[in-house]
Amino acid sequence: MGPRVVIVGAGIVGCALADELTARGWTRVTVLDQGEPGRTGGSTSHASGLVFQASGDRSLTRFARATVAKYGALRVEGRACFRPVGGLEVAATRERLADLHRRHGWATAAGIESHLLDPAECAALHPLLDREVVLGGLHVPSDGVAVPLLAAQAQARAATGRGAEFRHGVRVTGIDVRGGRVRGVETDQGPVRAEVVVSAAGMWGPLVGAMAGVTVPLAPMAHQYAWTTPLRELDVLQKLRGLVDPGGATFPVLRHPDADLQVREHGDRLGVGASGHRAMPADPAGLDRPGPDRGAIPSERTFTDLDFEPSWNAAQALLPALADAKVERGINGLFPFTPDGMPLLGETTVPGFWLAEAVWITHSAGIAAALASWMVDGVPALPEPGAGPHDAPAPVDVSASHHDRFDPALLAPATVRSRACHAFDEIDDIAHPQRLSPTARPLRAGPFEARHRELGAMVAELDGWAVPAWFGDNADLPEVCEVRPRRAWAGRHWSPIAGAEALVVRRAVALVDLTSRHRLEVTGPNALGLLQQLTTVDLDRPIGTRARALALDRAGRIRADLDVARLARDRFAVGVGTRLEARWLAEHVLGDVEVRDDTAGTCALGVWGPAAGVLLSRLTDPSGRARTTDAAETHVGPVPVLALRGTPVGVDGFELRTRADLGAALWDVLWDAGATLGIVAAGARAVTSLLVEAGHRTVGTGLDAELTPAEAGLDHLVDPGKGLFLGREGALAPPGRRLIALALDEPGEVVLGEEPVLAGDSCVGQVVAAEVAHSEDVSLALAVVPPDLAHEGTELAVEYFDRRLGARVVERTVR
């Protein structure tokens, strides 16, 4: 029967989650909603239901594919919940046409059939199109139109048949949190007991979260949608195609991202969605208040004709049949938007309180399945395409959708609103994976920022931090002339300076700002016990040693990559790359142990390169302890530091940690002493290049929560003899695939990630990271492929836009 579960919100997400939980045996599910049955008043009630599956995020693509599979099989009284009429994205510019090739690669890598079309083929597929307006298109036959209210009804019925209860007209007024965990919800009709509460309240999510003391960073945002007057041309074409269902669809749903348009049929009319207008956020607290701009339901606002006018003109240019048509009616429909446009999923810091927020119709069933697996089995997972009923689902990495991915510094209401507006403005933009332009000015600046500015840093943003990508003052380095230029797409948001900085690290010495990485201190009598239980290697080592270890989930998949230094018997310094890795460690604390995140109050500098030892010898204590011990608390000049010997990039060096208020002094001491050694500052792009070149795989550069250590090539970090640890069984299982390095045949070509990997004409994998090994002048890509292809010298290829690049598997000493 499972625990008692309350789901707040009976939109399509709440209904899908109730269906998935009850199907897994958690049948004591109650779904509460303040709205009416079948029309709850949220975005499900007005969503147009357009489903385009291919996305630059692999998890979103998997969620969309699973949604299509589920809704395609659902019927309510003979009516289909999904119509696979196909999707057609068109390009009006050369840049967009190139981007459609990239999207074709995403679909190919995900196993989704897609076809690139010329203008004549686009017009043949959708005869209302003006072929002179478009340069080409991408057709995905399995895309189409979901019927959100019908799909919600079908899933609610299935859940009810297994024991779930749906209660409408019930307003949640509070979340009962006692004894450190959820105990139920308070409503205007009395309390409802529960051991698990899931907020699937959509636009009301921030209000529900606040009841539990949890910040839900989203803003309701208006999206315009209009229904045209009847179109004679459309009616004629439908009859020629033999349309039977007058409310159905004959032609593919259209997406015209250059004009921020989406178009679908509604019988003899067209529906035109527009997102090219100004951002129009709403206050979650005011959704239910009456007002002159309110529509028929809380998620609708009065249609603003002036905002829609440019979109209407673009629609008429794309579809000449609209020349004599008019907008019959329209709405400004509200949808929940997050600062980065991704969902908010997972259990919060209040045990038992989960979020399933900011989920689009496109991903709703897939996310519900993954979340239900996460809740019941402890690991988010989805069935593989073509899997049988007894096949185990495959884990899915949800880190990009984890609700706690944002640093608390980014959660102020004004910041969330501003960044959500920016995410809305960019919804149809062509997003370069390495773009430098941040969504807003970075909020978090380390103590080296002034030094970065003096050196002409080109700044990117990482988790709110201002991070130097490269330094303009290094433009005069002689190594710049050794760096091969990059063409077109790969040359954007890049400079040969980054390659020169990487070469200096290999040849001399450089300072690398590591402050944005998380620095933790694990202390207490059970500190060693906690680390032994959670990690893959034996950390019962002498004081002063440093080791790399992995932390796994129950299925043996990688959740964190830890740098562990033992400073005392019950005291460890731990470094991780991301907030979610730090959270994974902290949320498993049991017994007499404390995990403290010191990131905000400290800083870190990498001193990397063959001359790093010489530099440190000029500044550290005469005993040389910092140069002979892996981890030592010492001084660099007058600055107290924790000196950690070693680097992840295959050269000598140190990481030096100190208090934030001493950071500028530490930089200056090192900079002055290193002047005669040719010291430079090296940015994040140089670091990524060095990591890939050295074969170092870490979260964000090759590793994710879908890989086991053996699959990632990190089985040397698993010690089977250390005893029990979380995920041990999965960690020791044979790999089902392998993360390998590919060297491209053309060193001048640089891929950027997510491209499909081909063996002959078959897609066998996907690129997960790529960079140039500058000291070798080799373009490398990390990719996941079947184990039988993971042998040195295996000839493969990478589909890169409209080209096929030859590649071969190369051995790298994995660190």
Side-chain angles (χ1 to χ4, degrees), residues 790-808:
H791 303 294
E792 185 173 17
T794 300
E795 298 288 337
L796 298 170
V798 176
E799 181 182 311
Y800 182 61
F801 290 95
D802 59 346
R803 301 182 60 203
R804 182 187 177 103
L805 304 178
R808 69 188 185 284

Side-chain angles (χ1 to χ4, degrees), residues 167-522:
R167 295 173 56 186
H168 292 272
V170 179
R171 185 180 295 272
V172 173
T173 58
I175 306 296
D176 182 5
V177 179
R178 285 175 291 136
R181 65 165 297 111
V182 159
R183 303 297 177 181
V185 301
E186 303 291 340
T187 78
D188 58 358
Q189 298 179 21
V192 181
R193 293 179 62 199
E195 296 149 87
V196 176
V197 174
V198 185
S199 178
M203 300 174 300
W204 292 273
L207 307 182
V208 177
M211 296 174 189
V214 172
T215 299
V216 179
L218 65 80
M221 202 77 61
H223 176 273
Q224 292 196 297
Y225 196 82
W227 290 260
T228 71
T229 52
L231 302 178
R232 180 178 177 278
E233 293 92 335
L234 180 58
D235 184 55
V236 170
L237 288 169
Q238 288 174 339
K239 289 176 180 176
L240 288 174
R241 296 282 180 98
L243 179 67
V244 177
D245 182 359
T250 306
F251 305 111
V253 292
L254 276 176
R255 184 167 176 262
H256 183 16
D258 287 314
D260 301 285
L261 290 177
Q262 311 88 39
V263 182
R264 59 156 292 188
E265 298 163 71
H266 293 280
D268 60 355
R269 294 163 170 79
L270 289 181
V272 181
S275 54
H277 50 78
R278 63 191 170 96
M280 294 182 275
D283 180 4
L287 295 174
D288 301 318
R289 297 173 189 160
D293 67 333
R294 301 304 195 260
I297 55 176
S299 62
E300 291 183 5
R301 295 293 183 266
T302 302
F303 190 67
T304 48
D305 299 274
L306 284 177
D307 289 310
F308 191 69
E309 186 175 347
S311 299
W312 181 244
N313 293 335
Q316 288 178 312
L318 180 69
L319 305 164
L322 293 178
D324 298 323
K326 297 186 178 352
V327 173
E328 187 171 71
R329 67 184 180 94
I331 62 168
N332 286 6
L334 296 177
F335 292 88
F337 249 81
T338 60
D340 58 5
M342 296 290 286
L344 300 169
L345 309 176
E347 188 174 20
T348 69
T349 52
V350 178
F353 184 61
W354 290 70
L355 298 184
E357 298 290 8
V359 179
W360 290 10
I361 304 294
T362 300
H363 312 114
S364 54
I367 281 178
L371 195 64
S373 176
W374 197 354
M375 295 169 70
V376 175
D377 301 319
V379 178
L382 284 173
E384 291 283 69
H390 302 295
D391 292 331
V396 57
D397 182 11
V398 296
S399 57
S401 299
H402 197 289
H403 76 91
D404 200 22
R405 63 188 179 272
F406 301 110
D407 188 88
L410 304 178
L411 297 182
T415 302
V416 169
R417 184 184 178 103
S418 170
R419 291 181 176 233
C421 288
H422 193 89
F424 177 85
D425 289 338
E426 292 188 330
I427 190 171
D428 282 320
D429 289 359
I430 299 173
H432 194 285
Q434 294 184 346
R435 61 182 176 168
L436 291 170
S437 55
T439 56
R441 178 175 294 183
L443 291 177
R444 311 177 72 186
F448 312 125
E449 184 189 29
R451 305 300 183 266
H452 294 165
R453 285 199 307 267
E454 293 167 3
L455 295 172
M458 181 63 69
V459 174
E461 181 185 333
L462 177 64
D463 197 22
W465 288 99
V467 176
W470 61 80
F471 294 89
D473 275 20
N474 290 333
D476 294 332
L477 289 173
E479 286 83 359
V480 170
C481 298
E482 300 178 45
V483 178
R484 188 186 296 268
R486 297 187 182 182
R487 297 185 299 191
W489 181 258
R492 297 183 187 179
H493 305 286
W494 177 82
S495 169
I497 296 172
E501 292 170 359
L503 289 171
V504 173
V505 171
R506 291 268 179 247
R507 298 168 180 175
V509 65
L511 295 185
V512 179
D513 184 358
L514 303 174
T515 300
S516 62
R517 289 179 55 82
H518 284 257
R519 290 168 295 284
L520 315 174
E521 188 165 77
V522 183

Side-chain angles (χ1 to χ4, degrees), residues 40 155 204 691:
T40 58
Q155 293 172 105
W204 292 273
L691 290 172

